[in-house]
Amino acid sequence: MNKHHQEILILIKENANTPTQHTFLDRYLGNAHLKYAIDNPTLRLIAKEWMRDHKAMKADGFQKLITSLVKGKSATEKIMAGMLLDLANAEQRSFDLKLFDQWLDHVEGWAEVDTLCTGVYSSFEVLNQWPQWKKQLIKLSKSKNINKRRASLVFLCSPLSKHIDMRLAELAIANIEQLKHEKEILITKAISWLLRSLVRFHKKRVIDYVNENKLTLPAIAVHETLVKIKTGKKNVNYNYLAVT
């Protein structure tokens, strides 16, 4: 275990109740990893204060810390890795992005994948390293690992909510096309989230795409996306069949 990982784990344990493995939580979060009884605001405060005290850490040391946390026994440690990524400065974010492919071998379920792959890091670095990230996200969309396939979708959600760049939109549609026939909720809900993220800057493109492909897209994604366009919300008690 990385020495900085040890420091953070001590802080987690000091602020948490007895760690548990709970059937309901396992089903909801999509993994059976150990979970410390600590709420996200407390976990984020630990991350913020630790990063404030280690703002001079270089990229090499930072990536080693993230690698160690992602390989940790608990879901809490893996989620902490994503929280630290959100707080990293430009220097700390300059590690080899191919590490994400390795990190994704150690996460499971929507909570762990999404915390690692969405947020500040992706909103900055996807466009900063576009040729490499485009190649990486296409590769992830074709992986045998469903968690990597989900990552190929959700990694684009934060950038799409911040940038109008058409390259993001085209890659999002391409990865949705690659995965739209899958039935697992880990993928269908990710497609819904990605389409809804496209709405802010690419509303007309989304309307046309969803109406043209509503028979092949996951039903939940069609419903939530069209409702988002109509109401600005994810869900309402009404079934919109089309948007023009």
Side-chain angles (χ1 to χ4, degrees):
M1 185 186 293
N2 178 280
K3 67 176 183 179
H4 295 308
H5 179 175
Q6 289 179 318
E7 294 173 7
I8 292 170
L9 185 55
I10 288 171
L11 292 171
I12 290 172
K13 290 179 177 179
E14 287 176 349
N15 287 274
N17 294 320
T18 305
T20 63
Q21 288 180 288
H22 192 283
T23 302
F24 172 77
L25 280 177
D26 291 351
R27 284 201 307 267
Y28 177 65
L29 299 175
N31 67 74
H33 297 146
L34 187 73
K35 299 166 183 67
Y36 286 91
I38 184 171
D39 59 46
N40 278 343
T42 302
L43 206 57
R44 290 188 184 280
L45 181 60
I46 291 171
K48 184 176 181 179
E49 291 180 347
W50 195 91
M51 288 297 287
R52 180 194 62 202
D53 294 338
H54 295 79
K55 58 187 176 182
M57 178 179 280
K58 301 299 184 183
D60 181 62
F62 185 69
Q63 64 91 5
K64 288 178 180 177
L65 168 60
I66 299 301
T67 299
S68 184
L69 284 166
V70 165
K71 292 181 178 181
K73 293 181 179 179
S74 73
T76 311
E77 292 160 89
K78 299 172 192 294
I79 288 171
M80 173 59 81
M83 291 182 176
L84 293 178
L85 276 172
D86 268 357
L87 297 166
N89 58 40
E91 159 65 21
Q92 292 162 345
R93 293 196 304 267
S94 64
F95 54 79
D96 187 344
L97 62 85
K98 291 180 181 178
L99 284 166
F100 271 92
D101 191 44
Q102 300 172 29
W103 292 341
L104 286 165
D105 286 324
H106 302 279
V107 298
E108 183 179 1
W110 69 267
E112 292 180 3
V113 172
D114 295 2
T115 308
L116 185 65
C117 295
T118 64
V120 176
Y121 176 89
S122 59
S123 66
F124 276 112
E125 296 303 325
V126 169
L127 286 177
N128 284 348
Q129 303 182 69
W130 175 251
Q132 299 96 317
W133 265 118
K134 180 180 179 181
K135 182 179 179 180
Q136 179 86 329
L137 291 173
I138 291 172
K139 177 184 176 183
L140 291 177
S141 75
K142 299 174 182 179
S143 173
K144 293 180 180 179
N145 183 335
I146 192 172
N147 298 292
K148 292 185 178 184
R149 299 198 301 277
R150 180 178 175 92
S152 75
L153 300 168
V154 300
F155 214 99
L156 289 164
C157 290
S158 293
L160 280 166
S161 68
K162 302 280 193 305
H163 307 287
I164 198 170
D165 198 305
M166 278 299 300
R167 294 175 298 176
L168 295 170
E170 292 307 316
L171 180 56
I173 295 296
N175 280 3
I176 290 171
E177 279 291 298
Q178 173 70 25
L179 298 170
K180 68 181 183 179
H181 297 292
E182 296 200 25
K183 305 301 181 184
E184 295 86 351
I185 194 170
L186 203 63
I187 300 300
T188 60
K189 292 293 284 186
I191 289 174
S192 175
W193 186 11
L194 185 51
L195 285 170
R196 286 181 281 115
S197 298
L198 277 160
V199 169
R200 181 178 183 186
F201 293 120
H202 307 281
K203 184 176 179 179
K204 180 62 165 60
R205 179 76 173 90
V206 175
I207 292 171
D208 291 343
Y209 176 73
V210 171
N211 281 327
E212 289 167 6
N213 294 274
K214 61 187 176 185
L215 296 180
T216 55
L217 284 165
I220 187 67
V222 172
H223 174 77
E224 290 181 348
T225 303
L226 297 183
V227 170
K228 170 75 173 180
I229 292 168
K230 280 281 192 177
T231 70
K233 300 178 181 179
K234 177 180 173 181
N235 285 309
V236 294
N237 293 321
Y238 190 84
N239 183 27
Y240 291 101
L241 298 179
V243 176
T244 59

